[in-house]
């Protein structure tokens, strides 16, 4: 089966610019996650979707971050405007259902200058 | 609140030897899942092994096995016959309607 696909792989932007990340989960996986990972640390959950519904977005900085999962398949995570502290790797993962093992994409490394 | 602790920021092992990575967690739940994930420099997080808390038998996957001590809330990962390709960050994670991650252990394999 095809894995979780993320794009772009790398992104360099200046602060205050917008940026968007895209994720295509494994077919049939109802649960989709966006994580942020800083260097040398574990993943930090930003948002979790069950189908098209965001069921946990408590850690999402809603003043500048937004996400959507139209039709319960692909998802987009947006940052506007980006800040220097947003530099990190953004990981997308999907699972068949909650508590099932997560399958991760390759992540997007964001550098904000 | 649930927490996951990996007390070893870095471990090194000689190729072909055995290494054990430690993980402890805190929870008041009786039913949950535990995972070990591997993250090589390529960044993709890969599931290594999974343990259901209701199962007493320790999970094994080829050279990877766990020592699950439910009463002690301990979930260590043993890698036998270490290979160069095992070099990576290893994350322990706990799941019960909320996935909690440890800070990770960097594993270095010495040739």
């Amino acid at each position: 089966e095809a894995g979780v696909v993320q794009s772009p792989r790398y992104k360099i932007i200046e602060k205050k610019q917008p940026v968007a990340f895209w994720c295509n989960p494994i077919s049939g996986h109802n649960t989709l996650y966006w994580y942020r990972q800083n260097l040398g640390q574990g993943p930090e959950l930003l948002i979790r979707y069950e189908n098209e519904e965001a069921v946990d977005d408590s850690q999402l900085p809603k003043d500048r971050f937004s996400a959507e999962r139209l039709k319960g398949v692909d998802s987009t995570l947006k940052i506007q405007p980006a800040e220097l502290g947003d530099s990190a790797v953004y990981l997308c993962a999907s699972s068949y259902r909650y508590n099932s093992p997560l399958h991760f994409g390759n992540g997007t490394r964001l550098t904000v200058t | 609140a649930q927490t996951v602790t990996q007390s070893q920021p870095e471990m090194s092992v000689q190729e072909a030897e055995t290494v054990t990575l430690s993980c402890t967690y805190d929870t008041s739940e009786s039913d949950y899942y535990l995972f070990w994930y591997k993250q090589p420099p390529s960044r993709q997080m890969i599931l290594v092994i999974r343990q259901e808390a209701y199962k007493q038998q320790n999970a094994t996957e080829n050279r990877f096995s766990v020592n699950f001590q439910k009463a002690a809330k301990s979930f260590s990962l043993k890698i036998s016959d270490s290979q160069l390709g095992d070099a990576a960050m290893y994350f322990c994670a706990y799941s019960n309607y909320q996935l909690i991650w440890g800070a990770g252990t960097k594993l270095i394999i010495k040739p």
Side-chain angles (χ1 to χ4, degrees):
Chain A
E1 64 180 7
V4 176
V5 179
Q6 284 188 252
S7 68
R9 187 103 164 102
Y10 301 90
K11 190 72 176 179
I12 301 174
I13 60 171
E14 294 183 347
K15 62 181 181 181
K16 300 184 182 179
Q17 293 301 305
V19 65
F21 314 122
W22 176 80
C23 174
N24 180 239
I26 291 174
S27 177
H29 280 195
N30 299 318
T31 308
L32 183 145
Y33 310 74
W34 281 104
Y35 283 94
R36 176 170 59 190
Q37 186 178 26
N38 292 307
L39 188 64
Q41 299 181 18
E44 169 196 359
L45 180 67
L46 292 174
I47 190 167
R48 173 170 67 93
Y49 283 94
E50 294 291 342
N51 298 304
E52 65 273 11
E53 182 183 358
V55 295
D56 184 355
D57 63 356
S58 57
Q59 301 301 313
L60 188 73
K62 298 180 184 62
D63 57 336
R64 298 183 299 108
F65 286 64
S66 64
E68 61 182 11
R69 191 185 184 197
L70 300 176
K71 299 181 181 179
V73 183
D74 293 7
S75 178
T76 302
L77 177 69
K78 297 178 181 177
I79 308 175
Q80 182 171 11
E83 297 179 352
L84 294 176
D86 295 332
S87 294
V89 173
Y90 291 82
L91 296 168
C92 178
S94 70
S95 64
Y96 176 65
R97 56 181 170 81
Y98 201 53
N99 276 340
S100 298
L102 273 62
H103 297 258
F104 284 83
N106 285 324
T108 297
R109 181 179 296 281
L110 174 66
T111 302
V112 182
T113 63
Chain B
Q2 295 94 344
T3 59
V4 175
T5 302
Q6 293 180 249
S7 59
Q8 306 152 316
E10 186 174 297
M11 292 281 286
S12 63
V13 63
Q14 205 72 34
E15 191 177 4
E17 297 293 308
T18 296
V19 64
T20 298
L21 307 184
S22 301
C23 174
T24 58
Y25 58 95
D26 188 25
T27 183
S28 58
E29 304 293 335
S30 59
D31 191 17
Y32 49 86
Y33 298 82
L34 295 163
F35 306 92
W36 277 99
Y37 284 88
K38 167 186 177 182
Q39 188 178 38
S42 66
R43 294 203 307 263
Q44 185 170 25
M45 198 81 78
I46 303 165
L47 177 68
V48 175
I49 202 163
R50 173 191 187 189
Q51 176 81 42
E52 291 91 340
Y54 65 86
K55 290 186 178 179
Q56 293 186 339
Q57 186 173 6
N58 290 323
T60 62
E61 285 289 341
N62 301 312
R63 298 182 295 107
F64 299 87
S65 61
V66 298
N67 183 4
F68 174 48
Q69 302 289 327
K70 191 172 184 179
K73 298 178 183 176
S74 171
F75 183 60
S76 60
L77 175 70
K78 185 172 82 171
I79 306 174
S80 303
D81 186 25
S82 298
Q83 301 175 0
L84 294 177
D86 295 334
M89 285 290 292
Y90 285 81
F91 291 95
C92 177
Y94 161 100
S95 179
N96 178 13
Y97 297 103
Q98 189 177 10
L99 189 59
I100 310 296
W101 295 83
T105 296
K106 182 179 182 180
L107 179 63
I108 299 169
I109 311 294
K110 299 177 181 178

